[in-house]
Amino acid sequence: MELVDSHIHLHEYGDFWVRYCDGRYLLVAVSDDLDSSFKTLEISRKCSFVVPAVGVHPWNAERALPEEVLPRVEKLVVEERVRVLGEVGLDRAFQAETYDAQMKLFLGFLKIARDYELGMNIHAAGAWREVFNLIKSYRIPTAIFHWYTGPHDLLNEIVAEGYFIGINPAVIIQKKHEEVLRRAPLEAILTESDGPYKYRGLTLGPEMLKDLVNKIAEVKSVSPEVVVEQVRRNFITFRSNLSR
Ligand SMILES: [Zn+2]
């Protein structure tokens, strides 16, 4: 049965993305900027297991002019039938100094997502509450809160809205992420790798999803098979929430 990678930068693997496209994985491929958005779309045209997400990462917000980026992203949504924006959001933990530029861009993405009923693949380090409030007020139909490490009360609100919590292999060594895993119901969890990102000596990637499934099974006191099946169901729910 397929493992779910709900957040991977497939465009960063060069030609090697094909190794993840042999049916073992169901993937949401996120983009970092306009160039990588085009690459992600190209990959998704060749691989039916990939749901493409386009957009500009908050870390690149300062280099992106909203008046240039937003119409081009909207064009991709219309012409290429893109149904997810990502990796988009706000970051006050690692890039507080560009917060204003991030906000300008993110508000534009929210408007596009609302108008076309798109899902969002969210980066919200240090800005979890702000991003959730915006997503809720724009009535975004579905969203994945990638690598969630935010407050526990907010976690409950995100789950109550029917949005998804991304659990990353870093959970094996990152205590605050493990606490999120303990509190999040299995029905709200999507596994992810964030590959090829490196975190404290871990080279993240789909190869780590098996260990991740085992860790989730251990924490939830169920078998790995139950985890794989439920996460796959969650992924199908996510996909069915997307318009068209
Ligand atoms: Zn990412």
Side-chain angles (χ1 to χ4, degrees):
M1 198 171 319
E2 308 97 329
L3 299 177
V4 169
D5 192 338
S6 65
H7 184 110
I8 180 168
H9 299 258
L10 218 43
H11 64 89
E12 287 184 40
Y13 286 90
D15 292 335
F16 291 111
W17 64 263
V18 284
R19 71 165 79 128
Y20 302 123
C21 201
D22 57 4
R24 287 178 295 161
Y25 307 107
L26 298 169
L27 312 118
V28 181
V30 296
S31 307
D32 299 331
D33 53 20
L34 270 181
D35 278 354
S36 53
S37 294
F38 290 113
K39 280 189 201 158
T40 300
L41 280 174
E42 203 182 310
I43 292 169
S44 73
R45 278 192 283 269
K46 295 174 185 162
C47 178
S48 60
F49 304 106
V50 167
V51 175
V54 304
V56 177
H57 194 293
W59 293 352
N60 295 324
E62 218 183 22
R63 289 187 290 277
L65 292 172
E67 58 274 28
E68 258 177 41
V69 167
L70 296 170
R72 294 186 71 187
V73 166
E74 186 170 358
K75 198 163 179 264
L76 289 179
V77 169
V78 173
E79 291 178 0
E80 307 286 337
R81 304 185 136 241
V82 172
R83 300 186 300 163
V84 184
L85 299 186
E87 174 169 359
V88 297
L90 300 170
D91 186 326
R92 231 189 334 236
F94 302 101
Q95 292 258 323
E97 64 281 6
T98 66
Y99 195 74
D100 290 347
Q102 295 174 34
M103 183 63 93
K104 238 179 144 180
L105 199 58
F106 188 49
L107 289 173
F109 286 137
L110 283 162
K111 191 176 173 304
I112 294 172
R114 181 190 59 198
D115 292 351
Y116 295 95
E117 297 174 49
L118 307 177
M120 293 185 113
N121 204 309
I122 290 295
H123 175 115
W128 300 104
R129 169 61 71 184
E130 292 88 335
V131 169
F132 171 72
N133 288 348
L134 283 165
I135 286 195
K136 199 177 157 188
S137 71
Y138 275 76
R139 297 200 178 88
I140 302 306
T142 188
I144 302 169
F145 284 77
H146 144 64
W147 200 331
Y148 185 83
T149 55
H152 298 146
D153 56 340
L154 181 61
L155 173 66
N156 299 337
E157 290 179 59
I158 291 170
V159 172
E161 283 299 315
Y163 297 141
F164 293 98
I165 303 294
I167 299 291
N168 186 280
V171 74
I172 292 156
I173 53 172
Q174 189 184 30
K175 281 280 160 239
K176 72 177 166 183
H177 198 38
E178 186 182 338
E179 195 50 44
V180 167
L181 170 58
R182 287 189 192 285
R183 289 164 185 267
L186 196 50
E187 292 71 23
I189 285 175
L190 286 172
T191 48
E192 61 161 64
S193 74
D194 202 17
Y197 191 69
K198 287 186 174 61
Y199 176 77
R200 284 165 56 189
L202 297 178
T203 298
L204 299 170
E207 294 82 2
M208 294 199 72
L209 290 172
K210 263 194 190 138
D211 288 344
L212 174 57
V213 163
N214 290 337
K215 174 72 180 181
I216 296 172
E218 178 200 313
V219 167
K220 298 297 185 193
S221 304
V222 294
S223 71
E225 291 74 22
V226 166
V227 173
V228 171
E229 172 58 21
Q230 184 59 51
V231 171
R232 208 179 62 95
R233 267 189 224 161
N234 298 345
F235 183 81
I236 290 165
T237 304
F238 168 76
R239 232 173 23 190
S240 66
N241 286 339
L242 302 170
S243 60
R244 286 176 290 194

